[in-house]
Amino acid sequence: MNTMTNIQTITAKLLINGQFVESTTSEWQDIINPATQEVVGRVPMATPDEVEAAINAAQDAFKSWRLTPIQARMRIMLKLQDLIRDNMKEIAHVLTTEQGKTLADAEGDIQRGLEVVEHACSIGTLQMGEYAEGVARGVDTYTLQQPLGVCAGITPFNFPAMIPLWMFPMAIVCGNTFVLKPSEQDPLSTMMLVELAVQAGIPAGILNVVHGGKDVVDRLCTHQYIKAVSFVGSTAVGTHVYNLAGQHGKRVQSMMGAKNHVAVMPDANKEQTLNALVGAAFGAAGQRCMALSVAVMVGESKNWIHDLVEKAKMLSVNAGHEPNTDIGPVISKRAKARVVELINSGVEEGAELLLDGRDVEVKGYENGNFVGATIFNHVSTDMRIYKEEIFGPVLSIICVDTLEEAIELINANPFGNGVGLFTQSGATARTFQNMIDIGQVGINIPIPVPVPFFSFTGSRGSKLGDLGPYGKQAVQFYTQTKTITSRWFEDTQEAGEVNTTISLR
């Protein structure tokens, strides 16, 4: 890991057949510290030959890896989780520098990915098949969960540790090989995790890494050796990946955009609720697919809006590595310009701007991509700030009179990643969780991302494909079910009569 300490000099390498190599491409992109605009590294746009070499290496390695005992694969994951834990602070430092989030949030990014690696250590039971004896006279049926082959993962900028760790550990521990394409905006922390995976004992060719943009993505979606593609990112790119890979016969899971709501009931614990809303809306500078975008204040809870704004005013905006920072910069100048443009649109369309984060200044980091906490009231569902995913620290407030109105409003939104309800009534919570049409529901929890024993279950416009990342669904995604029906005869048994029916009896 010492090679990663001075990130000023880093060139992101490719990993092909067990070797970290520098790309021969002529096309490179700078990796920018979003708090300072300082160039901290560069990333190559891999050549077609390099992408081909990575996929071919994975294809060749699969022939032996699929036969590797399950315990051997599991032991690599046990070693990997130890290495990640030992190097967490160093990875978090690099992640903060290239991505912008606070050090605490960077460690959380790594920790949530580490939990999936820990769950992968249970593959001995997760990948078990089923067995039924005597389905007919002398006939048994059983299933095997067998690996698919070469799988690919395309990851976003906002979680450069967690999302790669959602993908390649589960794919590899199931017996597949993997080609990973990290975000070109912040690949350095991802590559640190990849280095640790190699140190943990993943053999040559099992895990490969290529960098690049659309050309590389498209090649992964269309190559004949790729059997499955996992994607997390924007709706536009996710739809493209799902359609292109699906048209070429790939199994695809595509986790995309969101517009997450929280309904606040008047009987909720006020202090805990307001703290949760502020953290969920403005943490990670709003750059989470599970960030809170819309607070639906039900009945008298609208009287809490002033207190909500006052709490948000107290958040500290600063570079991610500075102490006591609550909101770091967004990823790029382009991202900041889009967030500001959407805030402007909210003002122009008539929403009431209660807290304005457009002109925040951070001493010593005047060139940073900073947007402060921003809150709108009197937002309507036809406004751009409601319809579009802002991916910045912007919260819209809509007031309604009843729980039924809140449910109807939330269900009418096309996205379905996550939703929360704050209440102290069990009956209200039960009604809400039964009637709401969103894949992940939090009761007094604003960001309801499940632990890895379960599966990430975003739905509707937030997800394409029927299986989500990590958990039991990931094992289903990365394996093919083979059903075997068998009958054995005694050597002394005489031949029976010919049976021309489909019966096994």
Side-chain angles (χ1 to χ4, degrees):
M1 299 294 289
N2 291 335
T3 59
M4 303 298 292
T5 302
N6 181 7
I7 65 172
Q8 304 289 340
T9 61
I10 289 298
T11 296
K13 301 293 192 297
L14 309 174
L15 175 61
I16 299 176
N17 200 26
Q19 299 296 314
F20 290 95
V21 296
E22 186 158 325
S23 175
T24 61
T25 187
S26 60
E27 186 179 355
W28 296 79
Q29 178 173 307
D30 289 339
I31 304 167
I32 306 294
N33 182 331
T36 65
Q37 305 310 308
E38 179 184 10
V39 176
V40 298
R42 60 179 195 153
V43 60
M45 304 294 106
T47 68
D49 287 345
E50 289 166 343
V51 177
E52 191 74 18
I55 296 172
N56 287 338
Q59 175 70 8
D60 290 342
F62 176 66
K63 298 170 186 175
S64 59
W65 182 246
R66 67 185 302 272
L67 302 175
T68 301
I70 198 166
Q71 285 184 310
R73 291 183 252 137
M74 181 179 66
R75 290 187 189 111
I76 291 173
M77 295 302 144
L78 287 167
K79 179 64 174 176
L80 176 58
Q81 54 99 11
D82 275 341
L83 289 170
I84 293 172
R85 194 172 289 108
D86 291 344
N87 291 276
M88 183 176 293
K89 290 193 179 299
E90 186 178 357
I91 300 170
H93 170 71
V94 174
L95 197 160
T96 292
T97 302
E98 64 175 347
Q99 202 276 343
K101 62 178 63 179
T102 67
L103 283 170
D105 201 29
E107 289 195 24
D109 186 337
I110 301 163
Q111 178 63 39
R112 290 309 302 263
L114 174 60
E115 291 171 357
V116 175
V117 180
E118 292 170 342
H119 194 232
C121 297
S122 302
I123 193 62
T125 53
L126 293 175
Q127 203 170 342
M128 283 183 177
E130 299 174 314
Y131 192 101
E133 183 180 28
V135 296
R137 189 176 302 278
V139 177
D140 305 327
T141 297
Y142 57 97
T143 62
L144 306 175
Q145 297 299 118
Q146 295 188 324
L148 300 174
V150 183
C151 300
I154 301 160
T155 64
F157 76 83
N158 59 327
F159 285 96
M162 182 182 76
I163 302 300
L165 291 176
W166 280 10
M167 294 182 183
F168 76 79
M170 290 303 299
I172 287 171
V173 82
C174 286
N176 302 285
T177 56
F178 205 82
V179 180
L180 175 67
K181 195 214 83 68
S183 169
E184 63 274 22
Q185 297 189 80
D186 49 8
L188 300 181
S189 48
T190 304
M191 292 308 296
M192 295 177 78
L193 294 167
V194 169
E195 284 189 28
L196 295 181
V198 173
Q199 289 181 34
I202 291 180
I206 307 304
L207 174 60
N208 303 271
V209 181
V210 292
H211 303 284
K214 183 178 183 300
D215 290 345
V216 174
V217 169
D218 287 355
R219 188 58 179 147
L220 295 177
C221 292
T222 58
H223 197 284
Q224 60 178 333
Y225 290 158
I226 302 290
K227 304 301 182 184
V229 177
S230 181
F231 171 86
V232 176
S234 71
T235 297
V237 179
T239 302
H240 169 76
V241 167
Y242 183 81
N243 290 336
L244 183 62
Q247 289 163 8
H248 286 80
K250 318 302 180 191
R251 185 179 292 186
V252 190
Q253 56 177 206
S254 186
M255 313 306 296
M256 307 183 298
K259 200 71 180 178
N260 306 305
H261 297 63
V262 164
V264 180
M265 301 301 294
D267 69 340
N269 183 300
K270 179 180 177 180
E271 187 68 15
Q272 295 298 327
T273 299
L274 294 181
N275 287 339
L277 297 188
V278 170
F282 307 122
Q287 296 178 122
R288 297 170 174 149
C289 68
M290 292 296 293
L292 170 60
S293 298
V294 184
V296 183
M297 312 302 288
V298 180
E300 295 305 309
S301 69
K302 65 184 178 183
N303 295 328
W304 301 356
I305 293 174
H306 172 77
D307 295 328
L308 176 65
V309 173
E310 292 304 308
K311 279 185 177 290
K313 285 180 179 178
M314 299 178 67
L315 297 176
S316 169
V317 181
N318 210 333
H321 65 271
E322 295 288 353
N324 302 315
T325 298
D326 298 305
I327 303 176
V330 295
I331 187 66
S332 66
K333 285 189 173 297
R334 180 180 177 183
K336 177 180 177 179
R338 182 178 182 276
V339 173
V340 170
E341 193 269 331
L342 281 164
I343 295 173
N344 292 340
S345 78
V347 175
E348 293 165 2
E349 293 179 346
E352 180 185 6
L353 186 58
L354 300 179
L355 184 60
D356 187 353
R358 288 174 291 183
D359 297 321
V360 65
E361 294 184 2
V362 179
K363 187 176 181 180
Y365 298 96
E366 288 77 11
N367 293 323
N369 310 320
F370 295 102
V371 181
T374 300
I375 299 177
F376 281 102
N377 194 14
H378 302 303
V379 175
S380 61
T381 58
D382 59 347
M383 294 178 180
R384 285 185 62 199
I385 55 172
Y386 179 80
K387 294 189 294 184
E388 298 183 26
E389 183 177 28
I390 300 175
F391 230 58
V394 181
L395 176 65
S396 296
I397 297 175
I398 298 177
C399 297
V400 298
D401 293 329
T402 66
L403 176 66
E404 290 71 22
E405 288 181 74
I407 292 172
E408 182 179 1
L409 183 148
I410 296 167
N411 283 346
N413 190 279
F415 291 108
N417 222 22
V419 67
L421 171 73
F422 281 81
T423 183
Q424 296 199 79
S425 166
T428 299
R430 187 173 182 82
T431 297
F432 185 84
Q433 70 189 38
N434 286 340
M435 299 304 295
I436 206 73
D437 183 22
I438 304 292
Q440 299 175 123
V441 181
I443 305 299
N444 297 314
I445 293 175
I447 302 180
V449 178
V451 295
F453 315 128
F454 295 87
S455 296
F456 190 96
T457 53
S459 62
R460 297 195 287 151
S462 296
K463 175 184 178 183
L464 292 172
D466 61 345
L467 296 172
Y470 70 74
K472 294 179 181 179
Q473 289 190 13
V475 176
Q476 292 176 275
F477 180 76
Y478 288 119
T479 61
Q480 178 72 36
T481 301
K482 180 182 289 184
T483 304
I484 299 170
T485 302
S486 66
R487 170 187 282 167
W488 296 95
F489 299 101
E490 297 289 344
D491 290 342
T492 59
Q493 185 171 345
E494 296 181 358
E497 62 184 35
V498 174
N499 186 354
T500 60
T501 73
I502 61 172
S503 173
L504 293 174
R505 291 176 293 179

